[in-house]
Amino acid sequence: SKTMNGEISSFEEYVSRCTPEQKDIYYLCAPTRDLAVQSPYLEAFEKAGREVIFVYSAIDDFVMANLDKFQGRRIISAEKSDID
């Protein structure tokens, strides 16, 4: 969510942008970046200063939902997180 439109980011780059207190990796699936940015889910993460990965296709959503962890951090859908 903190990258520019059209820019691709790796998990390593994502983790490097996270604050030290962010222990999980969050992702949000939407058809386009514009819709992801407008998502009510994203608003809560922005208020909390949390980084969110945007994914745009059903297969990306499937893969993310079936990955468990990366470098010891849980991978969690923004829609299923407990961020308020």
Side-chain angles (χ1 to χ4, degrees):
S1 63
K2 295 182 181 176
T3 61
M4 299 302 293
N5 191 14
E7 190 176 332
I8 296 173
S9 182
S10 68
F11 277 135
E12 288 91 353
E13 293 167 329
Y14 169 92
V15 169
S16 74
R17 290 191 303 268
C18 292
T19 61
E21 50 278 342
Q22 181 175 334
K23 302 300 181 200
D24 297 318
I25 294 172
Y26 301 101
Y27 71 94
L28 179 62
C29 186
T32 66
R33 181 179 180 86
D34 288 338
L35 290 175
V37 169
Q38 295 172 21
S39 169
Y41 294 106
L42 183 61
E43 185 177 337
F45 284 88
E46 289 177 335
K47 286 181 182 176
R50 304 285 171 90
E51 175 80 9
V52 178
I53 293 176
F54 295 155
V55 297
Y56 305 111
S57 71
I59 191 68
D60 291 337
D61 189 29
F62 175 81
V63 169
M64 295 295 274
N66 286 284
L67 290 175
D68 184 41
K69 292 184 179 181
F70 176 78
Q71 293 183 350
R73 295 174 188 246
R74 295 179 308 153
I75 300 172
I76 303 171
S77 168
E79 297 174 4
K80 296 179 181 174
S81 75
D82 58 0
I83 300 288
D84 293 326

